[in-house]
Amino acid sequence: MEKTDTAALPATSPTSSPNGISRRGVFALAGASAAIAATPATARSYGSGFTHSVASGEPHAENVLLWTRYVSDGEATLQWQVSESAEFTSTVSEGQVQASPNHDFCAKAIADGLTPDHWYFFRFIAPDGSASPVGRTRTLPQGPAQKFRLAVFSCANFGFGYFNAYAHAAESNDVDLAVHLGDYIYEYGAGTYPSASQRHPDRTSAPVTEIVALADYRLRYATYRSDVDLQRLHQVLPMVSIWDDHESANDSWRDGAQNHQRETEGDWEVRKDIAKRVYREWMPVSDKPYAAYDVGDLATLFRIDTRIEGREEQFSVAKVIEGQENPQAMLAALNAFRDGDYADPDRQILGEDQEKWLVEGLAASTSRGATWQVLVQQVLMGKLNSPPALLDLLGGNVPEFVRQRLLASALASQAGLPLNMDAWDGYPAARERVFKGALDADANLLVLAGDTHNGWAFNLSHEGEKVGVEFGVSSVSSPGFETYLAMVPPDQMAGLVVEANDELKWADTSQRGYMTVELTPTRATTEYRFVAGIRQRSTQLAGTKRITCEAGSNTLTE
């Protein structure tokens, strides 16, 4: 693995143990009411002072956002410094920021006046003179650029095991920017996901209940951010990130979520606003719902929200066939749905304002001469149907409820409907509008996607024209097809899915990991990196897979 030109790595943060909060601490906090959990006393469950190291994000050519958390008895004024050396012999940018209990003691500042395409070190200094761990960050290129490398992550569930993908990326030290596509945390209570039998015995999230209130979301982020490998990733790389559904609730959309019950969990708008607020407190992000980042003349990264900014409610195949007594009646209902509600030309996943911004941004990017137009977003854009042969292959080896789901998927595929209505596949008109915008802009469209826990590589097309490529990243720790369909050998499962989908060129349905994406003026190359496991802390890889797209081809090559 080739290293990019980097600054030296700062010392490892000493602020947390490998397992985060102690088991005793989890159960003590679990009994606290929401009111108690909002007090500074609970904020000190992870100690006082700089409790969660440092982070950076929102990089541009001349500025970057800095983050830390400093817990004290009240509001504290922190000094921040940016230097070209880890010893801080001189500073190139500095200022002050408040760490306040109103924001769970999280503090964010914008460091301006920086040099483009440059690595820097940064730190915070408390009123008592104590210093945070030293972080490392970098600015984006401006003008001609020959190479830029991303490390891309998605779906990190604390309870399933260790975040070895984060650890490997930080240790490898061969990328310029971390990109997180969502499901940075999960909202479930203990015993749900993972189940009691699946949960790693040393990985318990606080609180042990599902997170609904402000204090709950804050405590869940505090648990995740106590992980030393996640801290290290944030310490050494700037990050561009966007939420998916589990930062709020499973299968969320603009006006609700599958895992939100109004009668017991209150108003969705309140919960959604809390989720957004706490995400923006604990993450090195701006408050903008979507944004663009210019990587010199190499690329424009478009961070978009396909989840809650403008998304209409997901369709459900189960609801379409509900009440139908035989496969023929089910298929008839699916055909009617396909030609009716599913074909709605005005259906939205981005919302009108964001969609207009994106299409105009694609045109502006190509007009300024950027080679690549990269969508940093959550869910698969490629067309993915269920393999028709899967149900026959499984025979009688599956529970009845699994058989019914597979039957519904097979019938949907027969009706020309996709496998996953929660992805862009559930919003075909919106996808076609974006594809048309990319073609009109003559874009080199490169889509990054997470959410599925598995690895994918698609060619994307619109009305017979090549429109771009998509790289879907496997999960950091959340389980994939290998858990739900364990009776099918992984290679056979991946082969069936690829065979059933013309635009899908490669899939991995059984491994955890992350991917790097290297952008140059002539090609984009993705390397899928699969960790050897997640039950033990390790940076050993089980294997890699490289796939390339030549600039101007809108086609994948291996």
Side-chain angles (χ1 to χ4, degrees), residues 77 79 140 229 241 244 261 292 304 330 332 356 358 379 496:
T77 300
Q79 307 288 326
L140 299 183
D229 296 316
S241 61
D244 197 10
Q261 290 69 49
I304 60 176
M330 293 178 185
K356 181 175 183 290
L358 175 59
V379 294
L496 284 172

Side-chain angles (χ1 to χ4, degrees), residues 40 44 70-78 98-102 104-105 127:
R44 283 196 291 271
Y70 181 80
V71 177
S72 61
D73 291 332
E75 189 167 293
T77 300
L78 308 179
Q98 302 301 308
S100 168
N102 291 334
D104 205 17
F105 298 97

Side-chain angles (χ1 to χ4, degrees), residues 448-464:
L448 306 180
D451 183 61
T452 67
H453 309 172
N454 297 286
W456 313 94
F458 285 91
N459 287 327
L460 304 175
S461 65
H462 173 69
E463 297 181 349

Side-chain angles (χ1 to χ4, degrees), residues 4 28 62 100 152 243 322 347 397 403 435 442 463 498:
T4 193
E62 297 178 349
S100 168
V152 184
W243 54 58
E322 189 175 25
R347 188 157 164 77
N397 297 326
R403 173 170 294 279
F435 281 177
D442 195 23
E463 297 181 349
V498 172

